[in-house]
């Protein structure tokens, strides 16, 4: 897992350190004598985790490892963010196991934090067009079919994988910005007709989020994740190197730049021809 300096700085944001406190709350209180004596009143005078508590924590570690690996988290922030749901869920179980009242209070605290401190979203530069309907998407794909290449990201705001991929997609939209290579996004939870049109499931258990489709000349050329004739979805890790390689962005970018130069030269040639005709 890669750790970057900017990610360490990002951990100072309230969303991260508050959620880290919540995920460590039970173990911290149980292992700190002052809180343990006050909250748990241990009968033997020692504050140790019992077999049931250790079992829940072990199960949590296994779930976090499996789920984050499946999500393809290779940097620290996505790894931590994808872990919060499971770690807080385990803490809810632990607090309920200790005392129902503690469990209810902790659940209310988790809900309040999730409402007041949503996960920070990418706020850097981007050249992404956000489509507000399937009709506007279809209209954009039909424009100048001879040259345009579109990379369209079908996403939902609540899906962690979509949130993790968002800064990568935005960064690439700036890096590969050219007239005939364009980046777009559409929220299929708000516009489900787009999900139906392109056979993308937006359910909470969907393995198709996010889905990125490359359109060339208005026609679907390539998509990830892909699926077979039986509907089996092939998992794709949306890392920057994977995305660049699979969609061959460097070659596509160079091809689009050449198309742009050719069109400019054709326009200039046409203007020169018109001037000559006017003189004669």
């Amino acid at each position: 897992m890669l750790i970057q300096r900017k990610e360490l700085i990002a951990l100072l944001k309230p969303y991260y350190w508050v959620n880290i406190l919540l995920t460590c709350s039970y173990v911290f209180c149980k292992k700190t004598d002052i809180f343990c004596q006050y909250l748990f009143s241990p009968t033997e005078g020692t504050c140790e985790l019992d077999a049931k508590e250790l079992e829940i924590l072990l199960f949590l570690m296994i779930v976090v490892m499996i789920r984050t690996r499946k999500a393809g988290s290779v940097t620290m922030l996505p790894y931590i963010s994808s872990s919060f749901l499971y770690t807080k869920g385990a803490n809810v179980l632990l607090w309920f196991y200790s005392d129902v009242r503690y469990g209810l209070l902790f659940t209310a605290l988790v809900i309040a934090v999730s409402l007041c401190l949503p996960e920070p979203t990418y706020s850097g530069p981007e050249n992404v067009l956000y489509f507000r309907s399937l009709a506007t998407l279809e209209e954009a794909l039909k424009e100048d079919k001879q040259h345009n290449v579109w990379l369209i990201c079908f996403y939902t705001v609540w899906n962690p994988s979509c949130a993790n991929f968002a800064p990568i997609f935005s960064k690439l939209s700036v890096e590969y910005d050219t007239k005939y290579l364009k980046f777009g996004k559409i929220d299929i939870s708000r516009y489900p007709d787009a999900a139906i049109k392109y056979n993308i499931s937006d359910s909470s258990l969907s393995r198709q989020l996010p889905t990125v489709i490359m359109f060339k000349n208005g026609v679907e050329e390539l998509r990830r994740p892909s699926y077979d004739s039986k509907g089996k979805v092939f998992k794709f890790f949306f890392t920057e190197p994977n995305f660049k390689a699979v969609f061959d962005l460097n070659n596509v970018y160079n091809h689009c730049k050449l198309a742009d130069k050719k069109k400019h030269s054709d326009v200039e040639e046409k203007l020169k021809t018109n001037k000559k005709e006017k003189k004669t």
Side-chain angles (χ1 to χ4, degrees):
M1 182 175 60
L2 303 176
I3 301 178
Q4 300 177 359
R5 182 181 177 184
K6 63 181 181 181
E7 292 186 319
L8 292 174
I9 295 174
L11 285 176
L12 298 176
K13 293 181 179 180
Y15 168 81
Y16 292 105
W17 60 262
V18 169
N19 277 280
I20 290 173
L21 288 175
L22 289 176
T23 60
C24 300
S25 61
Y26 187 84
V27 174
F28 175 78
C29 290
K30 195 67 183 285
K31 300 296 289 183
T32 304
D33 287 339
I34 296 176
F35 293 108
C36 179
Q37 296 295 333
Y38 180 76
L39 294 173
F40 305 106
S41 301
T43 54
E44 299 179 1
T46 59
C47 296
E48 297 294 336
L49 297 169
D50 62 25
K52 186 69 174 179
E53 292 167 334
L54 290 172
E55 182 181 333
I56 293 174
L57 291 173
L58 178 62
F59 180 73
L60 167 65
M61 291 175 60
I62 295 172
V63 169
V64 168
M65 290 175 63
I66 293 175
R67 296 301 300 177
T68 51
R69 185 174 181 179
K70 284 185 176 182
S73 300
V74 295
T75 55
M76 184 179 65
L77 288 185
Y79 189 92
I80 291 175
S81 296
S82 61
S83 302
F84 281 152
L85 175 64
Y86 310 106
T87 53
K88 288 186 292 188
N91 273 270
V92 168
L93 292 177
L94 289 168
W95 283 112
F96 266 109
Y97 172 72
S98 175
D99 192 307
V100 174
R101 294 170 298 174
Y102 295 162
L104 291 173
L105 286 172
F106 185 79
T107 301
L109 180 61
V110 168
I111 294 173
V113 168
S114 64
L115 293 175
C116 298
L117 289 176
E119 183 175 358
T121 56
Y122 177 76
S123 58
E126 64 176 11
N127 289 316
V128 178
L129 179 61
Y130 289 83
F131 294 101
R132 304 305 177 191
S133 68
L134 175 61
T136 56
L137 171 59
E138 296 287 291
E139 184 179 345
L141 294 176
K142 291 176 182 177
E143 292 179 358
D144 194 9
K145 285 187 177 182
Q146 187 177 357
H147 300 295
N148 275 355
V149 176
W150 276 97
L151 283 167
I152 305 297
C153 177
F154 298 82
Y155 74 103
T156 62
V157 294
W158 48 261
N159 184 273
S161 296
C162 294
N164 293 340
F165 179 59
I168 296 175
F169 194 72
S170 296
K171 177 185 174 184
L172 294 176
S173 73
V174 175
E175 182 179 348
Y176 291 93
D177 179 38
T178 186
K179 183 176 180 180
Y180 294 116
L181 175 56
K182 302 179 181 181
F183 291 73
K185 297 181 76 170
I186 185 167
D187 183 354
I188 57 176
S189 63
R190 295 182 62 187
Y191 311 105
D193 51 345
I196 296 171
K197 167 76 175 179
Y198 294 102
N199 298 315
I200 301 170
S201 171
D202 62 347
S203 72
S204 58
L205 300 176
S206 175
R207 299 178 62 193
Q208 292 180 280
L209 294 174
T211 287
V212 177
I213 302 179
M214 175 182 281
F215 295 91
K216 289 185 178 180
N217 304 324
V219 178
E220 180 178 332
E221 178 82 6
L222 177 68
R223 76 160 63 194
R224 287 294 184 273
S226 57
Y227 56 87
D228 60 19
S229 58
K230 296 181 180 179
K232 179 183 177 181
V233 178
F234 300 103
K235 184 66 178 178
F236 179 75
F237 291 152
F238 279 95
T239 63
E240 185 175 334
N242 282 356
F243 192 83
K244 285 183 176 181
V246 168
F247 288 95
D248 198 16
L249 281 187
N250 290 325
N251 286 330
V252 172
Y253 174 74
N254 290 332
H255 177 77
C256 290
K257 285 194 73 176
L258 287 174
D260 191 18
K261 288 180 180 178
K262 185 177 183 302
K263 189 163 185 179
H264 277 297
S265 62
D266 290 344
V267 171
E268 289 176 0
E269 187 65 30
K270 189 174 181 180
L271 289 173
K272 289 179 181 178
T273 303
N274 290 338
K275 286 181 180 179
K276 289 179 180 180
E277 290 177 353
K278 287 181 180 179
K279 287 182 180 179
T280 57

